[in-house]
Amino acid sequence: MVAIMTVMHTDPPPTRRPVRQLLAASVGNAVEWYDWYAYTFLATYIADQVFPESADNSLVPLLSTFAVFAVGFFMRPVGGLLMGAIADRRGRRAALTVTILLMGGSSLLVGLTPTYAAAGVLAPVVLVLARLLQGLSVGGEFAASTTFLVESAGPGRRGLFSSFQYVSTTAGQLVASGVATVLVNTLSEERMNGWGWRVPFVLGAVLSLVGFWIRQGAEETRSAEQRRAPRPGLFEALRRHPRESLLIGGITAGGTLAYYTWTSYLPTYAELNTGLDKSDALLTGTLSLAFFGLLQPLGGMLSDRFGRRPPLLFFGVGFALLSVPLLHSLRDSFAVLLLVSCAGMILLTGFTSISAAVNAEIFPPRVRAAGIGFPYSLTVALFGGTAPYVGTLFKDLGHAGLFPWYVAVLCLLSSLVYLRLPETAHKELER
């Protein structure tokens, strides 16, 4: 007891300044995801400029663009492992500093990518390199910021603090969607294809510097005891906690597919399958994202009171039953797309608002960041990052109706994991 009191006296818990901690995590995370999603919202313009057209199939450039989107996801497990190890060895704040600088540099590189007409095959090579760096950064960002947020929370508030992971992620998406919408509606098609699509990425590089500055004032959440302990090995979490690693994969699989389908791919899905106008699709995405962001703290607070399992089952079973009718109900209608988007966002909140808390509560503090980062990011790469590509590929093969079933089945499988998940909401978090 004396030893514990000494640690608490010499190393005050960061919850004494919770607003500052939330701001440090949230602002940087929002900038990270603004950069990441700007690519998605402007995919059709990037496809036209960076990839050669095919005489046989007009979807080839778009497929290539989404393939590069997926490639970026496959660097996320590497980022989750490496940056998670930095967070476990050097501290959460050190890892958060590295990730924000990496994202700023990679965003600038996307903005400066030459066109295929000007540089030939070098253009897609530069774009792939930028996306690899972005994937490395985003994978590390989730590992470090998830751990940082949950460890900053006071008793009975981990769900609430966890929800700010997706509040800030949504804020980044919202700004990216808003910037893209303004550009599409104010610039001519010629100017958008010429230089307009580059503007969001240059802006992202500037915003990264702002995030870097804010994070310098954050307090470290790793306890003094953990700082004195021997540093964990790079693969220690996987070696010593294989069950926990598999559990995070099962928890995440359905959630990440539904998340990227509804928050990233749905506007493009509507364009491809209903003929909805591009500007209307982008505006719908912006409005539904704002609604989604407002729901997150509510979901987090409810989980602090009633537990983690009920909202997870609300999400999983809901998507298993409703993904197919919702996606099949889409029409060439702004109102219908908005209703479908918002319905999915309500269900999705059951997963997104608490996923950070659920993941952090599974692993011990010694390997928490790396333990979360690698299995989570690998699962996201396999199922979330490939969602736009799989959906577009189904359309290209003439089987667009199969994609909603793919979403439903994976959410059903994750629901089986949620049923057996131990309840951790009211247990003290080991620090």
Side-chain angles (χ1 to χ4, degrees):
M1 175 64 74
V2 173
I4 294 175
M5 291 179 65
T6 301
V7 170
M8 290 181 67
H9 176 73
T10 58
D11 189 38
T15 52
R16 291 187 177 184
R17 290 198 263 184
V19 175
R20 185 175 180 176
Q21 296 295 95
L22 283 175
L23 181 63
S26 299
V27 171
N29 194 49
V31 173
E32 292 269 4
W33 290 97
Y34 163 84
D35 289 337
W36 184 259
Y37 281 107
Y39 183 95
T40 307
F41 292 125
L42 297 166
T44 54
Y45 296 101
I46 296 172
D48 290 340
Q49 297 302 309
V50 179
F51 294 96
E53 290 189 14
S54 170
D56 300 324
N57 192 337
S58 61
L59 283 177
V60 167
L62 185 59
L63 281 169
S64 300
T65 307
F66 281 140
V68 175
F69 182 75
V71 164
F73 274 85
F74 281 95
M75 280 300 288
R76 289 178 62 168
V78 179
L81 185 63
L82 293 180
M83 299 302 164
I86 291 174
D88 290 332
R89 295 179 181 186
R90 300 288 184 179
R92 318 312 189 200
R93 196 177 73 168
L96 290 172
T97 298
V98 174
T99 58
I100 196 71
L101 291 176
L102 269 177
M103 180 57 75
S106 57
S107 181
L108 183 61
L109 191 57
V110 173
L112 299 178
T113 298
T115 64
Y116 187 85
V121 72
L122 180 64
V125 169
V126 171
L127 184 63
V128 168
L129 175 62
R131 289 299 291 179
L132 290 175
L133 291 175
Q134 283 185 324
L136 188 72
S137 173
V138 170
E141 173 69 20
F142 185 88
S145 65
T146 291
T147 307
F148 179 84
L149 271 173
V150 177
E151 289 178 349
S152 295
R157 300 178 70 188
R158 292 197 302 268
L160 174 61
F161 271 55
S162 167
S163 71
F164 279 85
Q165 180 78 36
Y166 278 92
V167 169
S168 55
T169 298
T170 303
Q173 286 181 265
L174 195 58
V175 175
S177 177
V179 169
T181 301
V182 169
L183 288 171
V184 168
N185 286 305
T186 57
L187 296 179
S188 65
E189 192 75 11
E190 182 180 357
R191 288 182 177 178
M192 274 301 300
N193 283 317
W195 54 268
W197 67 270
R198 301 179 185 275
V199 172
F201 300 105
V202 176
L203 177 60
V206 176
L207 292 175
S208 295
L209 295 178
V210 177
F212 170 77
W213 175 72
I214 291 175
R215 283 186 168 177
Q216 297 311 294
E219 294 181 20
E220 179 56 55
T221 62
R222 197 172 51 141
S223 68
E225 182 182 0
Q226 291 301 320
R227 295 176 210 174
R228 291 191 296 266
R231 294 177 181 174
L234 184 62
F235 296 100
E236 185 171 326
L238 288 171
R239 189 175 67 253
R240 295 193 176 184
H241 303 279
R243 180 184 176 277
E244 288 85 351
S245 298
L246 290 172
L247 189 59
I248 284 185
I251 292 168
T252 305
T256 189
L257 176 59
Y259 176 76
Y260 283 101
T261 297
W262 245 257
T263 65
S264 300
Y265 181 57
L266 194 60
T268 302
Y269 181 87
E271 287 180 48
L272 292 176
N273 293 282
T274 70
L276 189 69
D277 182 74
K278 185 184 299 182
S279 61
D280 283 346
L282 282 173
L283 180 58
T284 301
T286 302
L287 294 174
S288 60
L289 279 172
F291 175 66
F292 179 64
L294 294 174
L295 292 174
Q296 300 311 298
L298 176 61
M301 288 188 290
L302 287 173
S303 80
D304 283 332
R305 182 166 184 177
F306 299 108
R308 314 295 188 219
R309 193 184 297 118
L312 287 173
L313 287 171
F314 170 74
F315 152 74
V317 175
F319 259 98
L321 295 175
L322 298 176
S323 293
V324 175
L326 282 174
L327 291 177
H328 281 175
S329 69
L330 288 174
R331 300 289 183 270
D332 183 7
S333 166
F334 175 87
V336 170
L337 178 58
L338 184 61
L339 286 173
V340 169
S341 297
C342 290
M345 297 304 189
I346 293 171
L347 294 172
L348 193 55
T349 298
F351 169 78
T352 54
S353 63
I354 60 171
S355 64
V358 172
N359 290 338
E361 289 163 351
I362 289 174
F363 275 95
R366 174 180 165 80
V367 292
R368 182 170 288 145
I372 294 170
F374 182 76
Y376 174 86
S377 296
L378 180 62
T379 307
V380 171
L382 290 171
F383 299 106
T386 58
Y389 185 82
V390 170
T392 307
L393 185 61
F394 276 137
K395 170 66 175 178
D396 187 41
L397 296 174
H399 300 290
L402 292 179
F403 182 70
W405 286 101
Y406 171 57
V407 177
V409 169
L410 204 59
C411 288
L412 177 61
L413 293 176
S414 282
S415 297
L416 298 178
V417 177
Y418 305 151
L419 280 172
R420 299 181 59 85
L421 192 67
E423 185 56 70
T424 55
H426 305 120
K427 295 181 179 179
E428 185 177 351
L429 184 72
E430 184 183 356
R431 297 182 185 274

